Amino acid sequence: MVAPGGGAGGGPSRWPAAEELDIVRKKVVDISGRDEQEVRVAACPYRICPLGAHIDHQGGVVTAMTINYGVLLGFVPSNGSEVLLQSGQFEGVIRFRVDDLQKPIDKPENINWESYARGAVYALQNSGYDLRKGIIGYISGVKGLDSSGLSSSAAVGIAYLLALEHVNDLVISPVDNIQLDKYIENKYLGLKNGILDPSAILLSRYGYLTFMDCKTASPSYVCFSELSKSQQPQGQLPFKILLAFSGLQHNLPKKSGYNMRVFECKEAARALLHASGCEDTPNILCNVDPVVYEAQKCVLEENLSRRAEHYFSEMKRVTKGRDAWGRGNLQELGQLISASGRSSILNYECGKQYVMQWFI
């Protein structure tokens, strides 16, 4: 079983490879003592976001594409409600029951690899789904790429959701699973993020750049250079993605700065809506008309002004990027991506010094 729309599709660098699946299946056999034919594998790819950085939680339009690396969760149903898990990256064994009442994490420092499995149970429990069966499983990502900005946490959360749904005979749509993963992050872990990550994992298509309207939760897809689409050999793409890993890793839920910036974006929206006489409108930047922003941005304090400037300038870059991608103009797209990086640093004020020097 694979996350719908996930992975590298039918391309030449297909993921997951048969060898990777065999390793995971054998690990589950060792842990569970069950036959290898019983083992199922949830494969959830990592994602990149060329444009649309830091605006999904404000209902903005974002871009995404999955890559041919990700998380594999091999599992079999347990004989009862017990969950037993081991990891390829982290030590220890997780044991709990799906009929245990899960409570949200109260302190960010308490978040660990066990939290995502418990969070998946919490999201399903609190969304009205009946869980009777647990899983025995082995989860593994790509060494060194956890907490590296590729949405490994969303991939893990979705993998657990898919596995629990499978053993409990639950049929849940990709759109609903997007909201369930958001529930894990928002309600269980306390991270105020949007739907970019699960949308990318669950809705991406091979060879296309996904454009996700986070206000309406509706995706659209643009093939690289529509004019040459019919001329491309089956399974061959006229570009490659270079993933440059800085070596810096951190777990977002443990960083208070993320939620503070989300709060500042909402405060900017509140001030702009109030200034335009729309006090009753929900305080989120997608509800602010760009014309209103230009007319009223003078009322914003310095920090709020930067956050709003990032949102509205990033929305423009996404629109231009859609056109550049569709025309196959990688040079123009690259310039927009660089501008997005600069705005993320100067206006959204995130990033580490090692990364900042690439842009400023």
Side-chain angles (χ1 to χ4, degrees):
M1 56 188 298
V2 180
S13 54
R14 187 177 181 87
W15 178 85
E19 295 81 4
E20 295 174 283
L21 293 170
D22 286 343
I23 291 171
V24 170
R25 289 192 184 102
K26 288 175 182 176
K27 288 285 188 180
V28 177
V29 169
D30 291 342
I31 297 167
S32 66
R34 307 276 272 278
D35 190 276
E36 189 171 333
Q37 296 300 316
E38 297 181 57
V39 180
R40 297 291 179 267
V41 180
C44 294
Y46 299 145
R47 68 99 184 108
I48 59 171
C49 174
L51 291 168
H54 316 299
I55 64 173
D56 63 326
H57 51 73
Q58 295 302 299
V61 179
V62 298
T63 70
M65 179 185 294
T66 52
I67 63 175
N68 57 328
Y69 293 99
V71 168
L72 298 177
L73 170 62
F75 65 93
V76 292
S78 62
N79 292 324
S81 61
E82 183 183 30
V83 172
L84 189 155
L85 297 165
Q86 292 185 21
S87 168
Q89 280 70 50
F90 303 99
E91 296 181 355
V93 177
I94 293 176
R95 290 180 183 271
F96 66 95
R97 299 169 62 90
V98 296
D99 51 6
D100 290 342
L101 181 62
Q102 302 298 325
K103 297 181 179 180
I105 300 289
D106 56 351
K107 296 180 180 179
E109 58 267 25
N110 292 336
I111 295 173
N112 54 40
W113 76 277
E114 178 177 354
S115 303
Y116 293 90
R118 289 183 176 272
V121 171
Y122 176 82
L124 289 164
Q125 284 177 339
N126 285 275
S127 299
Y129 294 104
D130 184 24
L131 298 181
R132 299 183 181 183
K133 283 272 188 181
I135 58 173
I136 301 172
Y138 175 82
I139 191 164
S140 181
V142 179
K143 184 178 180 181
L145 291 186
D146 55 283
S147 303
S148 61
L150 297 174
S151 298
S152 57
S153 61
V156 168
I158 291 170
Y160 285 133
L161 287 170
L162 294 176
L164 289 165
E165 291 161 14
H166 182 79
V167 301
N168 285 282
D169 298 320
L170 299 175
V171 180
I172 299 177
S173 71
V175 171
D176 287 338
N177 269 321
I178 289 170
Q179 295 303 321
L180 284 168
D181 186 72
K182 186 172 184 287
Y183 201 98
I184 296 173
E185 301 274 7
N186 292 177
K187 303 296 185 180
Y188 186 76
L189 299 175
L191 184 67
K192 304 303 181 184
N193 59 336
I195 61 172
L196 163 62
D197 299 344
S199 297
I201 293 168
L202 288 164
L203 299 178
S204 290
R205 296 177 181 175
Y206 179 74
Y208 290 80
L209 188 59
T210 302
F211 288 78
M212 187 70 182
D213 185 330
C214 296
K215 181 177 182 179
T216 62
S218 55
S220 58
Y221 305 91
V222 178
C223 183
F224 179 74
S225 183
E226 289 286 353
L227 295 176
S228 62
K229 179 172 62 173
S230 60
Q231 303 169 13
Q232 295 170 17
Q234 183 67 28
Q236 298 292 326
L237 296 176
F239 63 88
K240 291 185 178 181
I241 302 296
L242 173 64
L243 179 62
F245 179 41
S246 68
L248 300 174
Q249 297 170 290
H250 70 261
N251 189 307
L252 278 183
K254 294 186 177 182
K255 302 291 183 178
S256 60
Y258 184 95
N259 283 351
M260 177 56 68
R261 289 181 182 86
V262 174
F263 173 77
E264 289 169 343
C265 287
K266 291 185 175 181
E267 282 296 288
R270 183 195 61 77
L272 291 166
L273 290 166
H274 181 82
S276 60
C278 300
E279 296 91 340
D280 296 332
T281 303
N283 298 332
I284 187 169
L285 284 170
C286 66
N287 289 332
V288 178
D289 189 285
V291 175
V292 170
Y293 165 66
E294 291 296 335
Q296 303 292 344
K297 62 183 180 181
C298 58
V299 306
L300 297 175
E301 299 173 6
E302 184 177 356
N303 267 10
L304 306 189
S305 177
R306 290 197 186 103
R307 306 300 179 260
E309 172 60 25
H310 175 73
Y311 173 85
F312 286 101
S313 64
E314 191 72 356
M315 286 287 285
K316 291 178 181 178
R317 285 187 286 271
V318 170
T319 299
K320 293 178 180 178
R322 184 186 187 99
D323 179 63
W325 177 265
R327 289 186 285 105
N329 191 330
L330 289 179
Q331 181 176 3
E332 183 179 344
L333 182 70
Q335 291 170 346
L336 291 166
I337 292 172
S338 294
S340 174
R342 281 192 292 273
S343 182
S344 293
I345 291 168
L346 298 175
N347 293 320
Y348 203 72
E349 296 184 289
C350 67
K352 296 291 186 180
Q353 186 62 42
Y354 307 100
V355 180
M356 291 180 184
Q357 64 188 10
W358 299 346
F359 295 97
I360 57 177

